């Protein structure tokens, strides 16, 4: 009887674990599909970053999220979009900070190009307090053409909050975001090239007009 009960419990337990795993996989697929369709709609950097920051919160049940962008001239990370306590109203960031590349957890991720999960920030001397101290942090780089474009960073008040599932989802989101950044860059280059062609045509037309003016009799023009 005990063996039978144990066998039944094992079957039920495995079935529940399977259902939970399938439910988590479905949730993951829904989140990724949402980001894949939503991100591709944006044609400007600001709209893209704010949408990603806000939806990281609502879709992944996080407390806050900040997107940093690399300022290459000054070699620092600049807060470009946020959601949570750092975002009191609209597309604004409360008391934005800058982090030098290589400093803090976020700056180190930008330097190494490798994502990190910190389970207890109290034991990590690299941790930089922004608006308030939180006990867990995850940071994932945005890689565009092999270079770090920025970092997606999130913190949580609980220790050991972030899991490999969070890492996988945010990494996928960073890849989708990086792909859209590349599309925006290509479109900007295309528009710039079209503007240059128009400017060259205008200069050529003006040059021909100037040549005709010089050839014509000034008395006739008078």
């Amino acid at each position: 009887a005990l063996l039978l009960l144990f066998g039944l419990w094992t079957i039920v337990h495995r079935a529940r674990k399977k259902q939970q795993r399938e439910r988590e996989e479905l949730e993951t697929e829904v989140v990724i599909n949402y980001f894949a369709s939503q991100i591709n709609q944006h044609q400007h950097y600001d709209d893209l970053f704010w949408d990603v920051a806000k939806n990281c919160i609502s879709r992944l049940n996080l407390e806050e999220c900040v997107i940093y962008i690399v300022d290459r001239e000054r070699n620092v990370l600049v807060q470009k979009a946020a959601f949570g306590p750092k975002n009191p109203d609209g597309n604004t960031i409360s008391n934005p900070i800058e982090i030098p590349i290589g400093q803090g957890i976020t700056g180190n991720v930008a330097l190494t190009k490798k994502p990190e999960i910190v389970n207890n920030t109290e034991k990590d001397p690299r941790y930089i307090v922004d608006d308030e101290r939180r006990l867990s942090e995850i940071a994932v780089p945005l890689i565009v053409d092999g270079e770090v474009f920025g970092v997606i960073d999130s913190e949580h008040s609980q220790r050991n909050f972030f899991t490999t599932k969070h890492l996988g989802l945010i990494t996928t989101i960073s890849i989708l975001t990086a792909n859209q950044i590349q599309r925006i860059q290509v479109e900007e280059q295309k528009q710039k090239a079209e503007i240059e062609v128009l400017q060259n045509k205008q200069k050529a037309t003006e040059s021909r007009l100037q040549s005709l003016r010089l050839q014509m009799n000034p008395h006739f023009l008078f």
Side-chain angles (χ1 to χ4, degrees):
L2 288 173
L3 288 174
L4 180 60
L5 289 173
F6 179 75
L8 291 173
W9 177 86
T10 302
I11 293 172
V12 172
H13 181 68
R14 288 179 178 176
R16 287 179 177 176
K17 286 187 68 176
K18 182 180 178 181
Q19 289 177 351
Q20 182 180 359
R21 186 168 59 252
E22 290 175 349
R23 185 165 56 251
E24 289 177 351
E25 290 175 354
L26 179 60
E27 291 173 355
T28 300
E29 185 177 351
V30 169
V31 170
I32 291 174
N33 288 340
Y34 173 83
F35 273 98
S37 61
Q38 186 74 7
I39 285 174
N40 291 339
Q41 298 177 9
H42 299 297
Q43 301 302 319
H44 301 284
Y45 293 120
D46 286 346
D47 295 337
L48 173 63
F49 297 141
W50 280 104
D51 185 38
V52 171
K54 292 178 179 180
N55 282 293
C56 272
I57 295 292
S58 61
R59 298 283 169 169
L60 303 183
N61 298 317
L62 305 180
E63 289 183 348
E64 63 90 49
C65 181
V66 178
I67 295 181
Y68 293 81
I69 300 301
V70 175
D71 184 332
R72 303 201 180 279
E73 293 183 359
R74 297 185 296 132
N75 201 36
V76 298
L77 289 168
V78 179
Q79 291 183 337
K80 195 67 175 178
F83 202 66
K86 291 283 293 183
N87 174 230
D89 182 48
N91 290 351
T92 59
I93 299 177
S94 176
N95 300 318
I97 66 170
E98 297 180 352
I99 298 177
I101 303 295
Q103 295 187 20
I105 296 167
T106 308
N108 189 66
V109 166
L111 180 66
T112 63
K113 302 180 183 179
K114 296 179 180 179
E116 275 198 60
I117 292 177
V118 177
N119 293 318
N120 188 354
T121 59
E122 290 180 325
K123 295 183 178 180
D124 196 321
R126 301 172 303 167
Y127 180 73
I128 296 175
V129 178
D130 188 353
D131 56 324
E132 63 179 81
R133 174 175 282 278
R134 297 181 180 88
L135 299 177
S136 297
E137 183 172 359
I138 185 171
V140 177
L142 279 168
I143 308 294
V144 179
D145 292 330
E147 297 295 329
V148 175
F149 191 92
V151 177
I152 300 176
D153 183 81
S154 180
E155 298 181 16
H156 201 276
S157 57
Q158 297 178 13
R159 292 185 183 87
N160 304 304
F161 175 79
F162 296 106
T163 65
T164 54
K165 178 184 175 182
H166 290 111
L167 180 61
L169 281 169
I170 297 177
T171 298
T172 302
I173 291 168
S174 74
I175 293 171
L176 293 171
T177 304
N179 289 340
Q180 187 61 20
I181 290 171
Q182 288 180 312
R183 294 190 188 98
I184 293 173
Q185 290 176 338
V186 169
E187 186 62 29
E188 286 182 345
Q189 291 171 358
K190 179 181 176 182
Q191 292 178 358
K192 184 179 179 181
E194 290 175 352
I195 291 172
E196 289 179 353
V197 169
L198 290 174
Q199 289 176 340
N200 290 334
K201 286 183 178 179
Q202 184 177 0
K203 289 178 181 178
T205 301
E206 291 175 352
S207 178
R208 287 196 296 270
L209 288 173
Q210 182 66 19
S211 178
L212 287 172
R213 290 193 188 100
L214 294 174
Q215 292 176 14
M216 294 178 71
N217 189 331
H219 298 288
F220 174 76
L221 287 176
F222 177 75

